[in-house]
Amino acid sequence: MIRARRALATVLVLLACSGVPAPPEVPEAEVRQHYVFGLLDPDSARQALIVEAVEAGGTLDDVRVRITASGDPSPLSELRQLDVVSGACIARYGVLIAANDLRCAEGGFRPAFGGRYDLVISSVGRDTARATVQVPGDFQLRSASAEGTPPGTRGLAAVWTPSAGAYRYLVTVSPSAADDCFNVHGCEDGWFTVTTDTQVVTTVPGSALHDRPGARWYVEVYAVDRGLFEYLTTGSGGSVFPVPPLQNVRGGHGAIGAWVRRSWALR
Amino acid sequence: MLLVTAPLQAQRLPPRLSGRVEDAITHQPVASVDVYSSGSIVATTDSSGAFSLPATHRPPLRLRFVRLGYELRDSTVTDASTPLLVMLVPAPLGVGSVSVERGAERSPAAEERQRFEREVIPRVVGIARAEIRALPAVGEPDVLRVLQALPGVVPVNDFATQLHVHGGGPDQNLFLLDGARVFAPYHLFGLAGACNPDAVRRVELFAGAVPARRGGALSSVVEVQQRDGVADSVFVEGGLSLVGVRAAVGGPTPAVAGTWMMAGRRSHVDLAKGGFPYSFSDFEGRVSLTPTEADRLGVSWFLSSDRFRWFVSSFGEGLHSRWSNAAGSAEWRRALAGGWSTLLGTWSSGYFGSIAVGDGDELPTSEARVRELGLRVEARREAKATSLRVGGELVRDRVELEGAQHAGGYLVGRSTGSSLTATGYVELDQRLGAVRLAPGLRVSHEVETRRNFIEPRVGLRMYLARSLSLTVGYNRTYQILSTLRDDRYLVPGAPLWFLRRGNDPASRADGATGELSWWLGTRYSVVASAYVRSYKAIPRWRPSGRRDLTELAYDDGSSRGLDLFVRRHSGRITGWLGYTWGEVRLDEAESGATYAPGWDRRRAVDASVAFQASPRLTLSSHLALGSGLPFWPATGAFDGYRLDTPQRRLAPGSAFPVWADEQARLPDYLRLDIGARYRFRAGSLDLEPFASVLNATNHYNVLFYRVGTDPAERARLYPENQLPWLPVLGLDVRF
């Protein structure tokens, strides 16, 4: 019994004498992938995509985006990395904010209405990412009317022609690029609805808009492909239960889509 | 029912107390009945049912008569001048495995052997009550914590008492309290079990293999039987610990022969000003009536409530959770002639759980509500070579799962479901010389979906030698009620139960288990076992895009393992040494990629020792070693975009995590707990203060990693610790 007590005491002493242990070694973050976001606009002759390093502290080198027609390996265009301050990216995506190394890949390319394209995104030392984009077909906004002050609060109607390949139509009512909106996340005004139809008859909730004397109001219809639509309308941030949005980039993260936008200025 | 008759005939005063035990139904003598006095066996009946106490034992005496297959009964003897005639009522044999008896203890080896002989099912383990009380715990004796210390049962961290048995998930265990299901039998987010240890009479665990009379869970069945009151007196017990304050009372019922018992607990740390933001309470009880020798009626209830409010960030973002259980059961057992007995039972179970996170007045809240009603009818026959059990169940389940209406909550969307299931089962136990064959079958029909579940359950035992036996078993089980569990996030709080939708598949497990048992006298036992299991349609929730049920997928997989269990049952030093090797793999339905669930601990060692240093002082320790658990590391983040309608363009949105495609493993786990109990008497009170030190070596056990950057802007994972070095004090009182 004395021997057992001594043995027990010895074990306890040895275990206790290990000292206050430091946190153990952490596993290395091996992922070196791209985050890509962008949309192809067939109304523009220049395209720009945002490319970002995924891992904290990662850097990007020689980013290239090769565009081919689906099923045809012949390259149609190659977007190349520019510096962070890029007019094309800012004009299309607004002020860019990123935690990691971010680049804008830009180049001359006008996608065809209804075209289908494969994009390959590469950079030095990273996994190659890929995405396929279905560009919606061209369409015409035939008519739009918005009654009430602000517009649409007493009735909104719009009609347009179908866009081949469009997954959803977004219909928005918003003032002109507001001079008094300095917040990069946008002002509070602005409203949109989603439909699969080629017309909308609805009423804008009064709480969504504020009267802006002197502002020019627009009704806009976006024909959006599936990849872009799902990316913009899913996911939730926050520090407790964040969930990434649906993404169509393979071998990386993010989404590349396309839209066709038609505007109607309200009187 | 115990009958102590008037003296059979006038006789010369015997030198010591003696008597005879008979079967109340057949009036045949009952051999091998243990007679207890003051917690020790003082006599055992011979083949004629006769017993005789040592000369040192003189009335008045409180005796307890214990025999497998009969109701346990107490008696107070005041007169030794005439022999006693004791009648024992046959009782349907309980299921095997862990058994905790209140009050007087059987000898540990006898307890274990009786449990082993009870059913032909592998993986039967029993823990003596003294070992449960001695095992150092967070606050007070915890049955679930003791079950986690057994080989083949994996705990995932210090804060969870959920059971992972033979590679199964935490929702794959059927937890029953007197026959009623309890859907969240935990307090403190799983840090402690919800059952008041003072109210527990027996706990039985089927690990991996379950009998045909139980279904609806893939991995195990935990049956908790509440204690009865005392027939001839009132008892009062209680205790104060780090967890809370508890009390239990019981006594005889008026008018009709029987007993009653009630027990309750409540936390106290939340009552202090600025106290801990968590509170819990539970209240349970049982009334047992024996209106005739052959009839026994029982009514039980269990109520529990937990509430947690915690702010996780300096921006006022909070995590709130609350859950409650309300379960009740009633049963009527009747002993018939010819070894037959019948059971008619009904139960009702209710559960509510919610998780809310965010800030402001409206928190995105996710809730689950479960209501279950059940009816069971059963007939049993016990004979020397053959035992038969036939029964049926009708169970109605209704489950409502409701998430937040907008993004930010744990769940978005809503799902409701109900099921009505009719089940029939049969169990046979046939003795053929040195072999026992126990085939069983469970057949269920789900009315709404018109699905049929056929579940064979087969056991075979071969007695290779007097103390050596081999037991093998095969069983199939189905499950349609599961909890929603994010594959990547460890979220504390209420479990959210859901029912399979429409054509979603039912989960299925097929398992084979083998066990070699070796009894070394009355003091030691050695059990080596192996199992292999295959799984079909195990739910996986890995939200992407939306946190709704459309992200549910169903994976197939398998598990296998080896257990070694060496125990010392009696003497001044008792305890066990267990070693487990196991492996669990699941295959993603979409890609076929293999991954490991969060409870895939490949190797584990558990050693538990209780040392009776003196009649009053008990020292104990528990050592747990384990290999690291798998997890999905977060490797970075990206900023999303949203449609900015005022600016008529896109604008940056929230930051989203990026998960690695390959899993990593947490570091190995080590924890040493030590404790001491000291019993003494103060007037009419039995007092037992106890002290424990949890994680006595202050080993850093990683709970999870959060991703961040170091000063050089490189990605880095920062670990969060589990339970640190923690001293615990408490006091148990008996009156």
Side-chain angles (χ1 to χ4, degrees):
Chain A
M1 188 54 59
I2 294 176
R3 192 178 300 176
R5 291 176 183 169
R6 285 178 178 171
L8 179 61
T10 302
V11 169
L12 289 176
V13 169
L14 288 175
L15 288 172
C17 283
S18 63
V20 177
E25 291 296 319
V26 300
E28 287 291 326
E30 295 293 336
V31 173
R32 291 179 61 81
Q33 293 179 331
H34 301 93
Y35 164 75
V36 186
F37 176 72
L39 63 90
L40 302 181
D41 185 354
D43 288 323
S44 173
R46 292 195 71 80
Q47 310 300 320
L49 298 181
I50 296 170
V51 184
E52 183 180 336
V54 165
E55 75 282 6
T59 57
L60 294 170
D61 184 18
D62 194 21
V63 175
R64 300 181 183 221
V65 181
R66 188 164 68 98
I67 303 175
T68 61
S70 288
D72 183 352
S74 304
L76 297 175
S77 178
E78 184 174 82
L79 310 183
R80 301 293 295 273
Q81 168 184 331
L82 301 180
D83 58 24
V84 175
V85 181
S86 162
C89 274
I90 292 176
R92 184 162 296 184
Y93 308 119
V95 176
L96 305 179
I97 297 176
N100 307 323
D101 191 19
L102 182 146
R103 295 284 183 264
C104 183
E106 181 184 355
F109 174 64
R110 184 189 289 272
F113 289 103
R116 186 177 177 86
Y117 303 96
D118 296 329
L119 290 84
V120 177
I121 304 95
S122 62
S123 67
V124 176
R126 290 186 177 273
D127 298 342
T128 299
R130 303 173 193 277
T132 299
V133 179
Q134 173 67 53
V135 179
D138 197 2
F139 71 101
Q140 306 301 320
L141 183 52
R142 293 295 191 193
S143 66
S145 64
E147 305 299 328
T149 302
T153 53
R154 291 182 59 188
L156 169 70
V159 179
W160 57 91
T161 60
S163 166
Y167 179 69
R168 293 286 189 276
Y169 299 100
L170 306 182
V171 181
T172 76
V173 176
S174 56
S176 57
D179 295 335
D180 55 353
C181 284
F182 299 106
N183 188 332
V184 296
H185 295 290
C187 301
E188 294 303 317
D189 280 357
W191 169 91
F192 72 92
T193 188
V194 179
T195 181
T196 56
D197 204 350
T198 56
Q199 64 177 354
V200 64
V201 178
T202 186
T203 302
V204 178
S207 58
L209 302 174
H210 296 83
D211 187 24
R212 294 183 176 276
R216 193 77 187 275
W217 290 84
Y218 293 84
V219 172
E220 292 186 312
V221 177
Y222 298 76
V224 186
D225 79 317
R226 181 168 187 168
L228 183 62
F229 177 81
E230 289 184 335
Y231 181 82
L232 293 178
T233 56
T234 61
S236 60
S239 62
V240 184
F241 302 134
V243 59
L246 291 176
Q247 302 159 70
N248 68 351
V249 171
R250 304 180 302 277
H253 303 270
I256 304 175
W259 71 26
V260 176
R261 179 171 62 185
R262 296 291 176 258
S263 294
W264 185 283
L266 297 172
R267 295 184 182 280
Chain B
M1 173 68 74
L2 166 68
L3 297 179
V4 180
T5 68
L8 297 178
Q9 61 183 26
Q11 289 186 344
R12 181 170 57 90
L13 186 67
R16 49 191 182 180
L17 181 64
S18 62
R20 189 158 63 88
V21 179
E22 289 185 1
D23 186 299
I25 304 300
T26 64
H27 294 281
Q28 295 298 309
V30 182
S32 302
V33 177
D34 292 329
V35 185
Y36 284 78
S37 175
S38 300
S40 302
I41 297 177
V42 295
T44 302
T45 60
D46 57 20
S47 57
S48 65
F51 69 91
S52 178
L53 270 61
T56 54
H57 286 68
R58 296 287 183 182
L61 288 171
R62 288 187 62 185
L63 301 179
R64 171 165 286 186
F65 296 86
V66 180
R67 171 67 162 88
L68 175 66
Y70 290 90
E71 293 288 353
L72 182 151
R73 280 297 174 261
D74 296 327
S75 170
T76 300
V77 181
T78 58
D79 180 16
S81 61
T82 55
L84 298 176
L85 178 59
V86 178
M87 299 290 191
L88 295 185
V89 174
L93 293 182
V95 298
S97 231
V98 178
S99 176
V100 177
E101 295 286 348
R102 282 293 302 164
E105 302 280 341
R106 298 186 175 120
S107 69
E111 172 94 14
E112 186 71 8
R113 195 62 188 259
Q114 283 185 340
R115 197 170 13 257
F116 176 77
E117 295 293 344
R118 205 172 287 158
E119 302 207 28
V120 185
I121 290 181
R123 296 301 288 120
V124 176
V125 181
I127 305 295
R129 181 169 179 80
E131 293 170 304
I132 293 180
R133 293 177 60 82
L135 197 71
V138 171
E140 52 204 24
D142 192 322
V143 171
L144 292 182
R145 282 292 178 192
V146 175
L147 296 180
Q148 285 185 330
L150 301 176
V153 183
V154 173
V156 292
N157 59 60
D158 295 338
F159 305 109
T161 52
Q162 288 89 341
L163 304 179
H164 300 79
V165 181
H166 283 187
D171 58 348
Q172 296 176 9
N173 309 295
L174 181 67
F175 195 96
L176 301 173
L177 189 141
D178 286 343
R181 185 167 188 175
V182 180
F183 289 93
Y186 321 111
H187 284 316
L188 293 168
F189 290 116
L191 189 61
C195 291
N196 188 333
D198 295 332
V200 173
R201 176 191 178 194
R202 177 185 294 135
V203 177
E204 301 167 337
L205 167 68
F206 292 95
V210 299
R213 60 186 177 275
R214 297 299 183 200
L218 299 184
S219 292
S220 81
V221 175
V222 179
E223 290 199 24
V224 177
Q225 295 185 14
Q226 296 193 98
R227 67 186 290 193
D228 295 320
V230 181
D232 51 4
S233 63
V234 174
F235 75 88
V236 179
E237 297 179 4
L240 178 67
S241 70
L242 183 69
V243 174
V245 58
R246 69 184 199 276
V249 297
T253 52
V256 181
T259 63
W260 60 274
M261 181 280 301
M262 291 190 299
R265 284 190 301 183
R266 202 216 182 276
S267 57
H268 54 67
V269 289
D270 58 296
L271 298 177
K273 184 178 180 181
F276 195 63
Y278 181 93
S279 65
F280 77 86
S281 62
D282 56 55
F283 176 61
E284 56 200 291
R286 178 173 173 82
V287 175
S288 298
L289 303 176
T290 51
T292 70
E293 289 180 11
D295 292 288
R296 179 159 183 161
L297 305 175
V299 176
S300 298
W301 67 90
F302 174 77
L303 306 171
S304 74
S305 175
D306 289 75
R307 183 183 173 87
F308 179 80
R309 293 179 65 86
W310 183 41
F311 293 97
V312 299
S313 74
S314 59
F315 298 101
E317 191 172 351
L319 172 63
H320 308 325
S321 184
R322 59 191 177 103
W323 64 96
S324 59
N325 294 284
S329 66
E331 64 178 26
W332 173 31
R333 296 175 181 267
R334 183 173 178 86
L336 306 175
W340 283 94
S341 63
T342 59
L343 166 69
L344 175 64
T346 182
W347 71 91
S348 170
S349 300
Y351 167 77
F352 169 79
S354 75
I355 300 176
V357 66
D359 54 12
D361 296 332
E362 294 187 15
L363 303 181
T365 303
S366 306
E367 297 179 345
R369 290 179 174 81
V370 183
R371 285 184 288 274
E372 178 171 286
L373 290 175
L375 180 68
R376 164 181 285 200
V377 178
E378 183 179 287
R380 242 190 125 188
R381 184 177 185 272
E382 292 286 331
K384 188 175 182 180
T386 305
S387 299
L388 175 69
R389 186 198 301 253
V390 179
E393 284 182 353
L394 194 63
V395 180
R396 176 76 172 181
D397 286 303
R398 180 168 176 81
V399 182
E400 299 174 8
L401 189 58
E402 184 159 2
Q405 296 304 311
H406 51 86
Y410 186 71
L411 170 71
V412 176
R414 193 168 188 271
S415 170
T416 60
S418 64
S419 76
L420 177 64
T421 306
T423 300
Y425 59 86
V426 60
E427 297 176 13
L428 178 68
D429 185 350
Q430 181 67 50
R431 296 164 179 77
L432 303 168
V435 174
R436 284 174 68 181
L437 180 62
L441 183 66
R442 183 179 178 88
V443 179
S444 302
H445 175 72
E446 193 183 2
V447 175
E448 281 88 353
T449 61
R450 298 184 179 181
R451 287 188 291 195
N452 296 310
F453 303 116
I454 300 174
E455 302 171 68
R457 315 273 176 91
V458 182
L460 173 70
R461 176 170 293 156
M462 292 173 283
Y463 294 90
L464 305 176
R466 188 169 181 272
S467 60
L468 184 67
S469 62
L470 175 67
T471 307
V472 296
Y474 164 80
N475 68 322
R476 168 173 290 183
T477 49
Y478 286 93
Q479 182 172 335
I480 59 173
L481 199 59
S482 302
T483 58
L484 198 64
R485 185 181 60 254
D486 190 320
D487 195 44
R488 293 195 168 101
Y489 281 100
L490 284 178
V491 178
L496 301 179
W497 289 89
F498 72 96
L499 200 59
R500 297 289 189 274
R501 306 161 296 168
N503 296 324
D504 285 349
S507 300
R508 190 184 91 192
D510 290 272
T513 308
E515 174 185 281
L516 192 65
S517 305
W518 186 21
W519 304 86
L520 301 171
T522 60
R523 187 160 284 193
Y524 291 94
S525 66
V526 179
V527 177
S529 61
Y531 67 89
V532 60
R533 310 184 76 207
S534 71
Y535 301 100
K536 295 289 184 185
I538 303 300
R540 163 176 48 89
W541 193 46
R542 197 178 296 166
S544 176
R546 303 179 187 86
R547 296 190 70 91
D548 60 21
L549 294 186
T550 61
E551 301 293 330
L552 267 176
Y554 294 90
D555 299 338
D556 298 342
S558 64
S559 69
R560 54 181 180 163
L562 299 171
D563 300 333
L564 180 64
F565 195 34
V566 180
R567 293 190 62 191
R568 191 172 197 261
H569 298 272
S570 59
R572 295 185 68 186
I573 297 178
T574 59
W576 67 82
L577 175 64
Y579 173 80
T580 297
W581 174 84
E583 183 182 65
V584 189
R585 294 181 178 274
L586 295 172
D587 301 318
E588 289 187 12
E590 306 90 338
S591 64
T594 299
Y595 69 99
W599 53 87
D600 178 35
R601 193 185 296 279
R602 299 292 172 87
R603 298 172 303 280
V605 173
D606 271 284
S608 178
V609 176
F611 171 51
Q612 196 73 42
S614 72
R616 295 184 176 184
L617 176 64
T618 302
L619 304 176
S620 61
S621 69
H622 175 234
L623 175 67
L625 301 167
S627 57
L629 295 169
F631 73 101
W632 299 97
T635 62
F638 63 86
D639 295 291
Y641 281 82
R642 62 178 180 82
L643 183 65
D644 181 5
T645 49
Q647 301 294 337
R648 298 160 63 222
R649 63 185 180 192
L650 297 167
S654 303
F656 300 105
V658 172
W659 302 102
D661 292 333
E662 292 187 4
Q663 294 172 290
R665 291 245 168 202
L666 297 175
D668 292 346
Y669 174 92
L670 181 149
R671 178 174 143 181
L672 174 67
D673 301 336
I674 56 177
R677 285 182 167 270
Y678 185 81
R679 289 189 300 273
F680 67 96
R681 196 169 183 86
S684 59
L685 297 177
D686 288 329
L687 301 178
E688 189 172 351
F690 61 89
S692 304
V693 178
L694 307 181
N695 197 7
T697 61
N698 199 26
H699 190 268
Y700 198 108
N701 293 308
V702 177
L703 178 62
F704 66 93
Y705 288 102
R706 55 183 174 80
V707 66
T709 54
D710 62 14
E713 293 298 319
R714 293 171 300 184
R716 181 176 172 81
L717 296 179
Y718 292 89
E720 296 290 340
N721 196 7
Q722 297 190 37
L723 206 62
W725 180 87
L726 181 67
V728 175
L729 297 174
L731 174 68
D732 287 347
V733 179
R734 293 179 195 170
F735 174 73

